[in-house]
Amino acid sequence: MYLVGQEKNKDLIDNGKIDNSTFILIRGPEHYGKTYLVKYIANHYGMHYKLLDNKVDTIRGLVESSDRNNNNCVYHFKDFEKSSPAAKAALLKVAEETPAGTKIIVTTSAYNFLDTLVSRAYNMNIQPYSKENILDYINILSFDETLLNTLINEYKMDITPSILRKYKERQDIEELIELSNFTIDAILKGMKLEDIGTISNKFWSSNNDVDKIKIYLELLESGIVSKVNGSYKYIKAIEKTLYQLNKIAISNYKMLIHNMLMEMVE
């Protein structure tokens, strides 16, 4: 399995430093490949990778499920800083006696994490990517140069392998960039109701494509920070919408975007 950069972490894994570690904590910024490092670990040990939600019942049922199935799994709890106090307490109990034949890996973007979990875990930190890492991966992906220049020069984005991979896989990335530019232009001119209708209608049939919404919001946030003075109000509306996407079951993405844009009207 190809993993961009992370030479020190790969050495730890390949040289057996985590062979006996059954509870592992990986910390690093968003979009810096924490999930791919977890999958690299699973692949190295010939174990099944399984992403779990951060719900209390899921964590409590982990021991019973593992004992029953004996399925040689790496269980991944992602963005665990967003979990509830009850979920953290439940995971603490599991960490004290990890089910046999499994590895539990928690990933987080928070460096101030629950001390009791940190003390029980083998701790790994995502390394920064070098310019050479990024350039090599751009060549491997055959990433579009025009798109790359747009992300770097217009959107001032911090380019990581995860972002490159995600944007490479989107067939509609040019459409999403055009839509984010249209939104920013509308903000600069003064958002009107007809602008809101035009933008939100683009998400009429996107109910099964949450990644489309998230990439649009990601582009929009970067573009606003880069191009709009006094951007706090707009960033606050975007962050609120992202929170709702992550925490609440959304059935109407068009209305979600409509409500966000209404908060941007002067």
Side-chain angles (χ1 to χ4, degrees):
M1 178 181 177
Y2 185 77
L3 185 67
V4 182
Q6 303 307 315
E7 283 78 10
K8 289 183 180 178
N9 285 322
K10 284 190 283 190
D11 284 345
L12 288 173
I13 297 162
D14 296 342
N15 292 325
K17 299 297 185 183
I18 65 168
D19 284 0
N20 298 319
S21 300
T22 56
F23 183 62
I24 299 168
L25 175 64
I26 300 175
R27 289 183 278 191
E30 288 188 52
H31 308 306
Y32 266 67
K34 296 185 292 294
T35 294
Y36 287 93
L37 183 57
V38 177
K39 290 180 178 179
Y40 184 88
I41 292 171
N43 184 71
H44 175 82
Y45 289 102
M47 301 174 80
H48 302 291
Y49 168 82
K50 189 169 184 180
L51 177 65
L52 300 179
D53 62 50
N54 295 334
K55 295 178 181 177
V56 175
D57 289 344
T58 300
I59 298 169
R60 288 175 177 167
L62 186 59
V63 174
E64 179 184 347
S65 174
S66 299
D67 289 344
R68 185 175 64 248
N69 297 324
N70 190 28
N71 50 10
N72 193 39
C73 272
V74 167
Y75 292 107
H76 180 196
F77 293 100
K78 185 176 181 180
D79 299 328
F80 203 69
E81 73 276 6
K82 300 174 183 176
S83 64
S84 67
K88 292 182 176 71
L91 185 60
L92 184 60
K93 289 186 178 181
V94 175
E96 291 172 348
E97 193 172 346
T98 307
T102 67
K103 287 184 183 293
I104 296 174
I105 304 182
V106 174
T107 57
T108 176
S109 298
Y111 277 88
N112 292 322
F113 202 64
L114 189 64
D115 287 341
T116 46
L117 282 174
V118 172
S119 65
R120 283 168 173 75
Y122 185 96
N123 288 265
M124 302 176 74
N125 291 314
I126 290 291
Q127 299 171 260
Y129 293 105
S130 68
K131 184 178 180 180
E132 290 73 21
N133 291 154
I134 299 299
L135 290 175
D136 286 346
Y137 197 54
I138 287 169
N139 290 330
I140 289 170
L141 286 179
S142 299
F143 199 84
D144 183 81
E145 186 175 347
T146 302
L147 174 57
L148 181 65
N149 288 333
T150 298
L151 297 176
I152 293 174
N153 297 324
E154 292 188 31
Y155 285 84
K156 312 298 183 188
M157 294 189 78
D158 181 16
I159 300 299
T160 68
S162 294
I163 286 176
L164 290 170
R165 190 183 299 111
K166 178 171 63 176
Y167 286 22
K168 172 74 174 179
E169 291 171 353
R170 291 297 309 196
Q171 298 295 317
D172 58 352
I173 188 63
E174 295 293 344
E175 174 189 330
L176 291 173
I177 288 174
E178 183 179 335
L179 186 60
S180 67
N181 282 335
F182 180 87
T183 308
I184 292 166
D185 287 343
I187 289 171
L188 291 171
K189 294 174 183 176
M191 185 76 71
K192 296 182 173 61
L193 289 178
E194 61 183 279
D195 296 325
I196 293 174
T198 298
I199 297 164
S200 59
N201 280 336
K202 296 292 185 181
F203 299 97
W204 177 257
S205 59
S206 301
N207 284 2
N208 294 321
D209 191 1
V210 67
D211 285 341
K212 177 179 179 178
I213 314 291
K214 288 184 176 180
I215 290 174
Y216 164 70
L217 294 174
E218 186 178 274
L219 288 165
L220 183 60
E221 184 169 11
S222 294
I224 286 174
V225 169
S226 173
K227 303 174 184 180
V228 180
N229 292 325
S231 59
Y232 174 76
K233 170 183 177 179
Y234 311 112
I235 299 302
K236 183 179 178 182
I238 293 169
E239 292 295 334
K240 176 182 175 182
T241 305
L242 283 167
Y243 177 84
Q244 291 172 322
L245 274 174
N246 291 324
K247 289 290 187 179
I248 304 171
I250 304 293
S251 60
N252 189 332
Y253 289 146
K254 176 186 175 182
M255 185 57 65
L256 179 72
I257 297 300
H258 178 276
N259 291 342
M260 177 192 75
L261 296 174
M262 285 296 294
E263 294 184 26
M264 297 182 180
V265 175
E266 295 293 344

